[in-house]
Amino acid sequence: MSKALLLSCVLTTGYVAFLIVSLSESQTTESSPQQPAATTPAPLTDIDGFLRSLDPESVNRCLQLHQSGKMIDQETLLRCGDFSLYAKHQRLPMQYAVGHFKNILLNSSTLHSLRAQLQDSSELVMPAFQTR
């Protein structure tokens, strides 16, 4: 019984000491002026890099072709952006990533709506797991 009593005293004392130290640290951090954290830009994700690579003229050309009922040829489509980044982000082979982009493009009316749809669809990408 004395071991249990001794253990509970040690644990209680340790807990009280922890609370006192935590309280004193929180008071000193509240009273001292906050130093701004070093701001380092976060590295670009693949989708961010792809969105930055989109060429507005090429995208608008593709949108105009589609809206006028004409087919969008592969060469014109590939000028829209850096599809290696999009393929990497989508975890798809390049040809499938281009097709995925084209489907989103065909359901867009402006560059702005295209960007929004690409951003929304990027949140739906699930990580691929490889088994060995």
Side-chain angles (χ1 to χ4, degrees):
M1 187 72 157
S2 63
K3 288 183 181 181
L5 183 61
L6 179 62
L7 182 61
S8 66
C9 287
V10 169
L11 291 175
T12 304
T13 306
Y15 181 71
V16 170
F18 172 75
L19 287 177
I20 291 171
V21 169
S22 297
L23 181 60
S24 67
E25 284 180 357
S26 68
Q27 288 175 347
T28 57
T29 57
E30 288 175 5
S31 62
S32 65
Q34 295 290 326
Q35 294 290 333
T39 55
T40 57
L44 284 179
T45 61
D46 294 328
I47 189 66
D48 291 334
F50 177 70
L51 290 172
R52 284 188 175 190
S53 77
L54 287 177
D55 178 37
E57 290 180 23
S58 297
V59 170
N60 286 330
R61 174 77 177 130
C62 288
L63 288 170
Q64 288 171 356
L65 286 171
H66 175 65
Q67 291 167 357
S68 66
K70 297 179 182 173
M71 296 294 295
I72 303 170
D73 63 287
Q74 192 77 1
E75 185 179 320
T76 304
L77 187 64
L78 288 173
R79 284 191 219 129
C80 289
D82 184 355
F83 284 98
S84 65
L85 291 171
Y86 193 63
K88 190 173 171 186
H89 167 72
Q90 290 290 330
R91 295 177 180 88
L92 292 171
M94 178 79 96
Q95 65 194 33
Y96 294 116
V98 172
H100 185 263
F101 172 81
K102 184 177 180 180
N103 288 335
I104 293 175
L105 177 84
L106 296 179
N107 291 302
S108 302
S109 57
T110 64
L111 176 61
H112 180 71
S113 67
L114 173 68
R115 286 180 186 274
Q117 287 185 58
L118 288 168
Q119 191 66 44
D120 289 345
S121 71
S122 73
E123 296 169 4
L124 302 176
V125 173
M126 300 301 287
F129 296 100
Q130 293 181 344
T131 57
R132 292 182 184 206

